[in-house]
Structure formats: C-alpha cells, structure tokens
Amino acid sequence: MNSELRTPVQMVRDGTVQWPDVDILTFVDADAGGRLVEERRTYQTLLANGEAIAGGLAAEGMASGAAFAIMMPNHPEFVEAVLGSELAGTVFVPVDPRTRGEKLAYMLRFAECRGVLVAGDALPHVLAVAGELPQLEWIWVLGAPAPSDAKVRISGLAEVMARRHGAPAPPTPDLGRTMQLLYTSGTTGDPKAIVSPYGRF
C-alpha cells in the first residue's frame, strides 16, 4: 500500500503543526429564521474535539473494533466523530438521517452498532426501533436530547464532550484497518455493508 497515504488523524495532526489556527472547514446551515449560519473549524479545534469524542467512546466501553452509527446531515461534528473513532480504534457506520423503520433497524443490527451519534431530527427514528436492538447501549444527540422512556442511555453530544474523559492511547496507524462500514442503497434487497479500510479512504 502507498506509504504516502495518511489517515484522517495523521493529516489533522500534520495540519496542527503547519497551520494550527487556520480555518480549514466551514459549514453553512440555515437557522429557524432562514438566516445562513457558519460554523468553522481549525486543525487544532478538530483534533481537540476528536480527542473529546474518543474519550467519550472509551467511557461508553467502546473497545477496539466496536461499531457505532453516525446519523446526521453535513455538520462539523461528523468530521470530529470520524477523528474520534480513529483515535478510539472503533468503526463508524454512516447512515442517512432520513432512514427509518425496519431498514434502520436492520442496518444498526447487522453492523452491531452499540451506539448512535444522531442529529436531533433523526432521533425519533432511532428511538422508534431501539426496543428491537438489544445491542444498542447509548445515543448521543447533536443538540438537546428530548425526554424518552427508551431503555438506552441518551446524552447530548456537547455534554459528552464537556466531560473531557481522557482520550485512549490511539492505535498504531494501519491503512488496512477497518475505518467504516458503508451501506449500499439496498434497491434490490437489504442494504449491503461494505467494509472500508483507511487506505481506501
């Protein structure tokens, strides 16, 4: 495999040395009033937030190779979760936030997701199937979590990151290690999970 390839954490760490305070990511969204709102991230911020998420994953008991889903539209927290996953040695599973019902239950069950990082709009979809997923232990919500009687731990992502659990010692960079499980569209049957290593990314 090409020795010049770098994992996301390696690339961000390189950036913190060369351009620590330069905005390298800008996300634009519309607020409730229709105004455009920008969120920016520097290399340093990305790395610090990724480390906070990695610490949260470790605190949830996520061992190396354990899987969790990310269900959100384009947000900077998605990128930070990718970094946190690498630092924690876990595997993330991107799921379209519009997915619901049996298709969602199947995807989370098949990938053996022990947790879900979810945007607030998609939280009801996850809660609707949580009772069918005995392996699902935790849900982190982007924004304030709504009260729920689901038998799964629900926390706000900001709250998880604010706890600043120490990030685990990251695994040795390995381009052959599984980074994510990518689902096909499932137009001719159940979606298929494609194992995607860091080298492919």
Side-chain angles (χ1 to χ4, degrees), residues 151-166:
K151 293 179 173 53
V152 58
R153 290 187 302 279
I154 303 177
S155 306
L157 177 62
E159 171 193 347
V160 170
M161 294 174 68
R163 292 179 192 143
R164 293 289 171 183
H165 296 285

Side-chain angles (χ1 to χ4, degrees), residues 70-72 94-109 116 118-130 132-133 183 185 190-191:
I70 305 175
M71 288 185 67
M72 65 175 68
V95 176
D96 186 326
R98 298 168 295 184
T99 308
R100 62 187 70 196
E102 182 49 41
K103 182 176 181 180
L104 175 58
Y106 169 83
M107 294 169 82
L108 297 177
R109 185 184 307 115
V116 182
V118 62
D121 291 348
L123 177 60
H125 308 330
V126 178
L127 292 177
V129 299
E132 305 170 38
L133 303 168
Y183 275 106
S185 61
D190 287 330

Side-chain angles (χ1 to χ4, degrees), residues 18-39:
Q18 298 181 63
W19 308 285
D21 300 316
V22 174
D23 290 335
I24 55 134
L25 284 182
T26 302
F27 288 78
V28 181
D29 201 1
D31 66 14
R35 295 178 298 275
L36 295 181
V37 179
E38 291 187 353
E39 288 189 81

Side-chain angles (χ1 to χ4, degrees), residues 175-187:
L175 295 172
R177 189 165 63 84
T178 300
M179 175 181 183
Q180 58 184 322
L181 295 179
L182 290 168
Y183 275 106
T184 62
S185 61
T187 52

Side-chain angles (χ1 to χ4, degrees), residues 185-197:
S185 61
T187 52
T188 58
D190 287 330
K192 308 296 187 296
I194 300 168
V195 177
S196 183

Side-chain angles (χ1 to χ4, degrees), residues 50-73:
E51 289 173 345
I53 289 174
L57 290 169
E60 293 285 10
M62 296 288 287
S64 178
F68 70 98
I70 305 175
M71 288 185 67
M72 65 175 68

